[in-house]
Amino acid sequence: MHNEQEKKSLREYVLGVIERGEVKMRPKWHFAFRAALYATGGIVLLLILIYLVSFIAFVLRQTGVLFEPSFGSRGWFAFFGSLPWILVLLSAAFIVILEILVRRYAFAYRRPLLYTALAIILIAIAGGTLISQTRLHGRLFQYAREDRLPIPFAGRMYRGFGGQRFMDIHRGAILKMGEGGFVLDDVRGGTSSIAVSPMTRMPPDGPLSAGESVIIFGEREGEIIRAFGVRRIGSEENEIFRVRMR
Amino acid sequence: MPDKTDEMIVEEVQRGDTQAFGELVSRYEEKIMRYAGKFLSEIDDRKDVVQEAFIKAYANIQGFDAKRRFSPWIYRIAHNEFVNALAKKSKIPTISFDPDLLFPHPVAAETADGNAARREMREMLDMHLANISPKYREPLVLYYFEDMDYSHIAEVLEIPVSTVGVRLNRGKAILKELMHAHA
């Protein structure tokens, strides 16, 4: 009896609230608009993330850091020390925000968090790698160096990250081969003498010759760079390195 | 409207029949009150929160896709209301990270407990419910008291089905430990 009365009262209370207009049914467009807003936000965030990843790839190529791991454990150590950590952390923050955003959708919450996080990371890396293959960042970097980039802060960002100099990475073309090394026409301007020893990790695909583009991993001692490793830069990679630092 | 499904009634409400919403309230009131009873101790609080859940359901009913099941949707709204009510009371932030959601787990097979075993589990749960953390308490309540299957619970809690299995198994283990401790 009591239960029946309570049941009636709750039903009547809710219907009363509705009839008195104290609660309004939100229109369908409200939900459609909210869904569109979330989807747009998600797409914008994903595009920013892809741009960031492609910019990181550009910076790594531009500074030569990308090639450091090919020089063994010492190269890997230098690689992690030279990574643009601010950009990496910023990308990680975007991944977290995107993950939070997609968790509200059934396709995401029905699966373990790891899967959706990996999917976001894979899309970002694939998209970023694709964009980094184009000359977009190279052009923007060029504009930034000429102070012609109309986007606020972008000029400083491109000059700051793209123009970084690392003490142990040197890039350029071989000007002249000689005894115990070669002369490098440095992309940053000037020439450097490269000292090669039996300990130097030379390219496995044949001896070097004048005119070839190379990247050298080694410390500078005055006018001489003592090469720990030398790597040939292929024509495709060289195309990306078109932006010279002079 | 006894022959109509919940989803059919929702469509009528969406078309503007507010009285039809009363039928939905009648169908779910007892269930949601019982569900609330496992989380909120004060009867007045419980009633207020359940009323609020139904009012929120009405306000948002146009956002419900009638091709999906209504039951997990209304339970989800109730779940959110209970979480908010508990957070207000305890002043503890509700945002927390659960490592169980991170990795995939093998989906545990749903065991068909016999009626006697189910009744026994319900009695045990009633005795020790307060000593089980909400993370394990909720799937146990939905499984044993609301007779929901894993996929239904996963929809209500918005977690993977495999995580439901993990939480239920851990919840049962905790319950057995509590029983042994009190034996």
Side-chain angles (χ1 to χ4, degrees):
Chain A
M1 184 72 191
H2 172 74
N3 196 29
E4 201 52 43
Q5 201 178 349
E6 195 176 79
K7 200 169 179 175
K8 200 176 165 192
S9 72
L10 199 128
R11 178 191 164 126
E12 277 170 5
Y13 173 81
V14 174
L15 287 179
V17 168
I18 295 167
E19 275 158 18
R20 287 194 298 276
E22 288 169 30
V23 58
K24 288 262 184 289
M25 195 188 283
R26 289 192 179 117
K28 228 174 183 110
W29 67 259
H30 168 92
F31 298 98
F33 179 72
R34 205 171 62 172
L37 212 65
Y38 272 109
T40 310
I43 290 166
V44 169
L45 278 175
L46 187 65
L47 289 176
I48 295 173
L49 178 64
I50 289 172
Y51 168 81
L52 267 174
V53 172
S54 70
F55 184 63
I56 291 172
F58 165 75
V59 168
L60 293 181
R61 275 215 190 98
Q62 184 61 31
T63 54
V65 171
L66 186 71
F67 304 101
E68 282 179 326
S70 62
F71 300 118
S73 54
R74 195 170 148 180
W76 274 106
F77 191 72
F79 174 76
F80 284 112
S82 317
L83 276 177
W85 284 108
I86 293 174
L87 296 177
V88 174
L89 290 176
L90 199 63
S91 304
F94 272 97
I95 291 167
V96 172
I97 297 168
L98 259 169
E99 182 64 47
I100 292 168
L101 204 73
V102 297
R103 284 318 279 181
R104 53 179 282 110
Y105 297 103
F107 72 84
Y109 69 66
R110 280 183 190 150
R111 288 170 179 82
L113 215 135
L114 187 74
Y115 289 174
T116 41
L118 280 177
I120 294 171
I121 292 167
L122 280 176
I123 293 170
I125 290 176
T129 310
L130 215 68
I131 293 175
S132 74
Q133 301 298 316
T134 69
R135 289 174 60 197
L136 172 83
H137 290 299
R139 282 205 181 126
L140 290 174
F141 181 51
Q142 191 71 47
Y143 289 152
R145 289 182 60 233
E146 291 162 6
D147 235 348
R148 288 197 295 137
L149 210 56
I151 313 155
F153 306 114
R156 245 177 33 206
M157 187 176 89
Y158 272 88
R159 281 191 299 271
F161 285 106
Q164 283 181 105
R165 284 166 186 249
F166 294 99
M167 300 298 287
D168 47 7
I169 283 284
H170 316 273
R171 218 174 61 218
I174 298 173
L175 211 59
K176 196 171 69 180
M177 293 301 295
E179 280 292 312
F182 53 86
V183 178
L184 182 81
D185 178 15
D186 203 301
V187 287
R188 292 176 188 277
T191 55
S192 306
S193 295
I194 311 296
V196 174
S197 74
M199 299 298 288
T200 305
R201 286 170 180 243
M202 295 301 280
D205 47 347
L208 295 165
S209 58
E212 281 190 294
S213 295
V214 287
I215 191 147
I216 294 117
F217 180 49
E219 281 165 23
R220 182 182 285 277
E221 283 177 20
E223 294 298 305
I224 298 169
I225 293 164
R226 300 210 174 274
F228 175 76
V230 182
R231 187 191 185 282
R232 235 182 221 106
I233 301 172
S235 56
E236 268 179 44
E237 288 160 350
N238 208 22
E239 179 73 12
I240 295 155
F241 282 144
R242 256 214 266 234
V243 184
R244 291 177 69 89
M245 303 298 293
R246 279 177 194 157
Chain B
M1 300 182 205
D3 52 336
K4 285 186 180 166
T5 64
D6 295 342
E7 294 73 24
M8 284 168 163
I9 300 172
V10 170
E11 281 180 322
E12 286 176 15
V13 180
Q14 286 175 333
R15 283 196 293 269
D17 183 357
T18 48
Q19 286 302 316
F21 190 72
E23 175 62 20
L24 288 174
V25 176
S26 298
R27 284 188 185 188
Y28 280 92
E29 184 190 340
E30 211 174 301
K31 291 176 185 172
I32 303 291
M33 276 297 271
R34 186 177 54 217
Y35 182 36
K38 306 296 175 200
F39 295 91
L40 306 163
S41 49
E42 305 290 326
I43 185 88
D44 286 342
D45 282 1
R46 209 183 298 169
K47 207 171 169 190
D48 287 349
V49 173
V50 172
Q51 278 172 356
E52 197 51 38
F54 279 116
I55 289 167
K56 284 230 169 106
Y58 177 78
N60 293 294
I61 207 148
Q62 293 287 5
F64 173 72
D65 178 3
K67 287 185 206 87
R68 299 180 74 177
R69 287 182 298 181
F70 176 73
S71 167
W73 188 76
I74 188 81
Y75 270 96
R76 178 70 197 167
I77 292 175
H79 159 90
N80 287 341
E81 284 304 307
F82 302 157
V83 169
N84 290 342
L86 286 171
K88 259 187 214 163
K89 272 193 160 183
S90 61
K91 291 179 177 127
I92 296 169
T94 51
I95 298 165
S96 59
F97 175 71
D98 181 3
D100 283 345
L101 298 174
L102 187 59
F103 299 107
H105 305 279
V107 182
E110 288 187 46
T111 50
D113 299 333
N115 281 342
R118 262 190 117 80
R119 200 168 45 243
E120 196 187 335
M121 276 304 267
R122 275 190 206 132
E123 281 165 13
M124 275 161 53
L125 256 177
D126 256 340
M127 272 195 288
H128 301 290
L129 208 59
N131 299 317
I132 302 171
S133 81
K135 179 176 155 182
Y136 301 116
R137 194 192 311 167
E138 210 165 0
L140 284 169
V141 166
L142 292 171
Y143 188 71
Y144 285 105
F145 289 96
E146 303 307 320
D147 291 324
M148 288 186 186
D149 59 19
Y150 284 19
S151 72
H152 213 124
I153 298 170
E155 284 295 307
V156 175
L157 303 180
E158 294 192 349
I159 56 174
V161 175
S162 58
T163 309
V164 173
V166 168
R167 287 190 187 174
L168 273 173
N169 286 337
R170 284 194 199 148
K172 282 186 214 173
I174 293 167
L175 200 58
K176 276 178 190 158
E177 271 175 33
L178 286 168
M179 274 194 54
H180 286 303
H182 288 87

